[in-house]
Each structure stands twice: as C-alpha cells, then as structure tokens.
Amino acid sequence: IANKMDEINARSARADMVGGLFGTDGSEIEAMVQAAANASRGNYGKMMSNVGQMGIMAQEAFSNPKELIAFNEQLQKTFVIAGTGSAQIDSAMLQLTQAMASGVLRGEEFNAVFEAAPNIIQRIAEYTGKSTGEMRKMAEQGLLTSDVVKYAMLSAAEETNQAFNAMPMSFQAVTNMIQTDIDNFLQPIAEKMSGFWSFIVDNWSIVKPVLI
C-alpha cells in the first residue's frame, strides 16, 4: 500500500514538473495524460513517465503540453497496432526521446524504432513522400529532424486512430483502465499520506523518542 501511495505521489510530482516547464497547472497535465492513456488503452503511470521524460529532455521540440501529450498518445496507439511488446516499447521510447532531444532521428535510434514499430517509420515515409527504404538514408544524412517525426505522427492521427479503433480490446487494456480508476480513487488518500510522512520527518526529534 505504501509503495502504491508513493507511486501515485511521484506521478503527481512528475505532472507538476511538466506543467512547470510549459506554465500549466499539474492537475491539467494529469487530466490530459489520463485521457490520452485511456484513449490509447495504455498504462496511465507509464504514459505519465514517458511524457515527463520527453518533456524534460525534449521540451524545445514541443510548443505546448497538449502537443507533447498528443504525440505520446499517437505513439502508444502505433505500438498497439504494431503489436509491440513492453520491452521493445521501452527501448523505442528511450530512443525516440533521445532523438527528439537531440533534434534528429538517426543511427541506433532509427533502428530501434524500426524494429519496435515499423509503422512509425511508415508514417514518416508517407509524410515526407519518400519510400520506407529511403528513410534509412535520410536518417544517416540527419534529415529526419524532430519536427519531421512529430508532424508525421500528428498529421497521421486520423489514419492511426481508425486503425487503432479496429483493433480488438485486450485484457491488458481493460486492466489498464481499471488501474487508472483505482489510482484516481486512491489519489486523495495518497496526498494525505504524503503530508503525514512530511509531518514525521519535520518533527522527527519529537517522534523518535516516542517511538523508542
């Protein structure tokens, strides 16, 4: 229970941090990420972690938090369509985050994304008007900029959403939605517990002899 409380509070802190980067309230970030997680049948905590990491490392690649979250939602849907496993998703997300931070998708980053979800590369190919085979040369030449990757995913949202909605609902997707509801129920309790732990730390000189 304590671990779950810490997890919820850490997620809220991450939302506050992302909100601070864009001048937005953390509660708004939480609401947007939760809506994106439900829409993409993803894990709320995992998506918040991805959004937080990408927001910190690649803030300049996004004009506002809505764009950042929409980008992550489309990535999650694309992974579901491709049937990508959790380990591959983690690897691809790390490489994509690094690419968005550096401003270019190339080399190892390109290969990791292509292996995890070739449909992401397909979206970029369609956006640039190039063949999938030409994408590797563009990556080597540093032509796959963060703007190209971002707008390729966002511009293909309607097509991606149609393909995603045609996918059957999985057991994991249902459990993700249930977990989100449980976390929402526990969040007020987690906030009070955080205050209680802070009280103990702030008054440890008084609490310690009582416990002894």
Side-chain angles (χ1 to χ4, degrees):
I1 293 174
N3 288 338
K4 169 56 75 174
M5 299 298 104
D6 288 345
E7 177 187 320
I8 293 173
N9 286 324
R11 189 184 61 215
S12 295
R14 195 172 291 114
D16 289 338
M17 183 172 54
V18 174
L21 295 173
F22 294 97
T24 305
D25 187 73
S27 60
E28 293 183 28
I29 299 296
E30 284 195 273
M32 287 191 289
V33 172
Q34 183 177 131
N38 286 336
S40 59
R41 306 175 192 172
N43 180 277
Y44 177 24
K46 190 67 177 177
M47 179 165 284
M48 180 63 78
S49 178
N50 291 337
V51 168
Q53 188 173 26
M54 190 171 289
I56 294 170
M57 294 180 62
Q59 179 188 356
E60 295 180 357
F62 302 94
S63 57
N64 54 66
K66 184 176 180 180
E67 191 176 63
L68 167 64
I69 295 167
F71 180 71
N72 276 269
E73 177 184 335
Q74 291 303 309
L75 288 177
Q76 172 62 24
K77 288 180 176 179
T78 306
F79 288 135
V80 172
I81 295 169
T84 311
S86 59
Q88 280 187 304
I89 290 177
D90 290 343
S91 174
M93 282 302 303
L94 174 61
Q95 300 300 332
L96 276 169
T97 299
Q98 292 176 346
M100 298 302 285
S102 67
V104 183
L105 176 66
R106 67 170 91 217
E108 181 182 348
E109 297 162 351
F110 178 91
N111 292 333
V113 175
F114 187 78
E115 291 174 6
N119 46 351
I120 291 179
I121 304 303
Q122 178 66 35
R123 292 285 182 263
I124 300 173
E126 293 171 355
Y127 178 76
T128 57
K130 304 291 184 179
S131 68
T132 304
E134 291 176 300
M135 290 294 97
R136 194 174 298 279
K137 291 183 179 179
M138 292 183 67
E140 293 173 355
Q141 296 169 0
L143 299 178
L144 298 183
T145 65
S146 56
D147 278 346
V148 170
V149 176
K150 178 181 69 176
Y151 290 122
M153 296 303 299
L154 295 179
S155 65
E158 184 176 352
E159 182 180 351
T160 300
N161 291 342
Q162 289 179 350
F164 176 80
N165 291 333
M167 297 292 293
M169 183 71 73
S170 67
F171 176 76
Q172 184 62 55
V174 174
T175 57
N176 283 337
M177 294 174 67
I178 294 173
Q179 185 63 58
T180 298
D181 286 340
I182 292 174
D183 285 357
N184 283 337
F185 174 77
L186 293 175
Q187 185 160 357
I189 302 174
E191 292 173 355
K192 291 181 179 180
M193 290 296 291
S194 178
F196 179 67
W197 302 140
S198 296
F199 172 81
I200 291 178
V201 172
D202 294 340
N203 298 277
W204 183 241
S205 60
I206 300 173
V207 175
K208 180 180 178 180
V210 173
L211 290 177
I212 292 175

